[in-house]
Amino acid sequence: MHHNVFTNNPTVPIDVKDRSVSELMDGMLRIGFQGRKLAESVQAWNNMLREKDTTVLMGLSGAMVPAGMRRVISYLIRERMIDCLVSTGANLFHDSHEALGRKHYVGSHLANDEKLFEHGVDRIYDIFAVEKEFRTADNLIADFAEEIGEISCSSREFMYLLGKELVKRGAAEDSIVVSAYRHNVPIFVPALSDSSIGIGLTIARRRGLKLNIDQIKDVDEITQIVEKSGHTGVVYIGGGVPKNFIQQTEVVASILGMDVPGHEYAIQYTSDAPHWGGLSGCTFDEAVSWGKIAPQAKKVQVFVDATIALPIVAHALHEKVSGLKRNAPIFSWDGPKGLEIAYEE
């Protein structure tokens, strides 16, 4: 039988039997299409967590919290499967909303939106929420901002203070904002103004408060994380601003004269496609041309709805990484030279 370099690795059709989620993922490494990509993403993430002196940054976009993903993200934070979160403001607003005991509701994408509007109900595809409750949260953020007073701070500093406030109000650990506050995981929100948190801060501004969220300080702080980390890996849920905000750190650092290799692990779960030319769907190969991703990086792009991928991947990692004592980075932000990073021994 004629063998060549292309036919060394036969597929192994997946069989059905009693097994754990991580064993299923291992079995899917020898099948095709996005099933294999999903399994490869688990393998890459697992390997990344075992690398020495590596900082894992996650980009979170899309309405993941209304869709029920907040406990998965807070688990990844608590277990230090991620070390830094860059999110849309909306996800963190919705997380704070639930942290204060309010809910999102199972709805239908076939509902009559005019009727929903009459009943004060907002729709996010097949999830419902109560507009009046959102407005209560907007005002709560405005009141909280007034308590902080007139400061200029990065979104990371603001989210830390918000985490502290939510703890004071009795919020549970399953909140993204609270778990990040408790476990020293920085949260950056580069488009904070484009969310209900921005709305709350605008209400405070109209009342005369001069609180300034310094977006350029955000760029500086997250670039310092990349400059001062041994290695970096990235995980993107969707694309959007969080993805590019993490990607551009490599460019900023190199312009500032730092010798950075590009992110060395890169995983993305996205439902966007590359051929429209947008950043959310663009491949990691394209990012290599910008110096954002290292040419030899382990790159896995999974074209999938993140609400399917995240629960499966998190369960597989839960099984694979349980008991692993990872040497996660410890950030201290007020050192004489700005950020200092030490890795746990």
Side-chain angles (χ1 to χ4, degrees):
M1 196 174 151
H2 179 66
H3 271 293
N4 64 38
V5 65
F6 298 109
T7 53
N8 288 336
N9 195 10
T11 59
V12 178
I14 197 88
D15 49 2
V16 179
K17 58 186 180 190
D18 285 334
R19 56 172 142 197
S20 68
V21 179
S22 58
E23 288 164 345
L24 175 63
M25 286 290 105
D26 291 345
M28 287 168 66
L29 285 166
R30 304 286 292 276
I31 65 167
F33 308 159
Q34 300 309 308
R36 181 163 88 224
K37 289 287 168 240
L38 190 66
E40 284 177 359
S41 77
V42 170
Q43 188 182 48
W45 200 334
N46 180 33
N47 290 343
M48 175 165 65
L49 293 174
R50 292 164 196 278
E51 286 278 3
K52 231 177 128 39
D53 298 354
T54 297
T55 301
V56 181
L57 300 99
M58 172 177 271
L60 180 66
S61 68
M64 290 295 113
V65 170
M69 297 295 115
R70 68 194 283 263
R71 286 178 177 165
V72 175
I73 305 296
S74 72
Y75 169 84
L76 296 172
I77 291 170
R78 287 196 309 277
E79 297 298 318
R80 285 311 283 268
M81 294 184 189
I82 61 173
D83 304 308
C84 171
L85 179 66
V86 178
S87 176
T88 59
N91 275 310
L92 303 172
F93 174 80
H94 290 281
D95 175 74
S96 305
H97 176 75
E98 288 207 15
L100 294 164
R102 300 194 181 89
K103 304 281 181 218
H104 296 86
Y105 300 92
V106 175
S108 164
H109 68 288
L110 302 172
N112 178 320
D113 289 293
E114 284 183 43
K115 286 269 187 298
L116 291 179
F117 179 71
E118 284 166 24
H119 286 86
V121 172
D122 300 329
R123 178 170 75 87
I124 304 166
Y125 186 59
D126 61 355
I127 298 292
F128 293 164
V130 179
E131 174 63 22
K132 203 165 90 194
E133 290 181 358
F134 281 162
R135 293 190 179 204
T136 307
D138 292 336
N139 281 300
L140 185 143
I141 286 167
D143 295 343
F144 160 64
E146 288 194 90
E147 275 173 46
I148 301 173
E150 303 210 341
I151 58 168
S152 176
C153 62
S154 64
S155 64
R156 175 195 65 81
E157 293 168 298
F158 179 80
M159 292 314 302
Y160 179 83
L161 293 171
L162 183 58
K164 194 173 174 177
E165 176 70 11
L166 290 175
V167 168
K168 211 166 80 185
R169 290 170 177 267
E173 175 93 341
D174 67 1
S175 149
I176 296 169
V177 179
V178 170
S179 54
Y181 166 74
R182 286 202 192 280
H183 294 270
N184 188 22
V185 168
I187 298 181
F188 291 91
V189 196
L192 188 70
S193 55
D194 177 35
S195 71
S196 264
I197 298 177
I199 294 171
L201 295 179
T202 304
I203 297 166
R205 174 166 291 223
R206 287 289 176 96
R207 293 181 192 160
L209 177 74
K210 298 283 184 285
L211 170 75
N212 181 38
I213 306 292
D214 184 343
Q215 302 257 273
I216 307 306
K217 192 173 183 187
D218 280 349
V219 178
D220 194 1
E221 286 187 347
I222 196 168
T223 302
Q224 285 183 49
I225 291 181
V226 170
E227 288 167 351
K228 294 175 181 179
S229 292
H231 308 278
T232 52
V234 294
V235 181
Y236 300 126
I237 312 301
V241 170
K243 179 183 179 183
N244 190 66
F245 192 70
I246 295 172
Q247 294 288 70
Q248 76 171 15
T249 53
E250 296 289 343
V251 178
V252 177
S254 71
I255 291 171
L256 293 172
M258 301 287 171
D259 184 18
V260 285
H263 301 305
E264 291 160 68
Y265 280 86
I267 299 166
Q268 181 174 16
Y269 306 98
T270 183
S271 50
D272 288 316
H275 55 254
W276 308 120
L279 176 113
S280 295
C282 81
T283 62
F284 287 132
D285 299 318
E286 181 179 310
V288 170
S289 76
W290 293 77
K292 293 172 176 177
I293 299 290
Q296 75 290 354
K298 175 70 179 159
K299 305 184 278 283
V300 187
Q301 204 117 359
V302 192
F303 292 98
V304 62
D305 178 337
T307 61
I308 297 169
L310 262 175
I312 295 171
V313 169
H315 277 80
L317 288 173
H318 174 67
E319 292 162 6
K320 283 181 178 289
V321 182
S322 94
L324 172 74
K325 186 74 189 86
R326 183 174 162 239
N327 79 322
I330 304 164
F331 303 108
S332 40
W333 290 94
D334 29 24
K337 296 178 182 162
L339 170 67
E340 286 168 10
I341 299 180
Y343 286 92
E344 289 174 19
E345 283 310 313

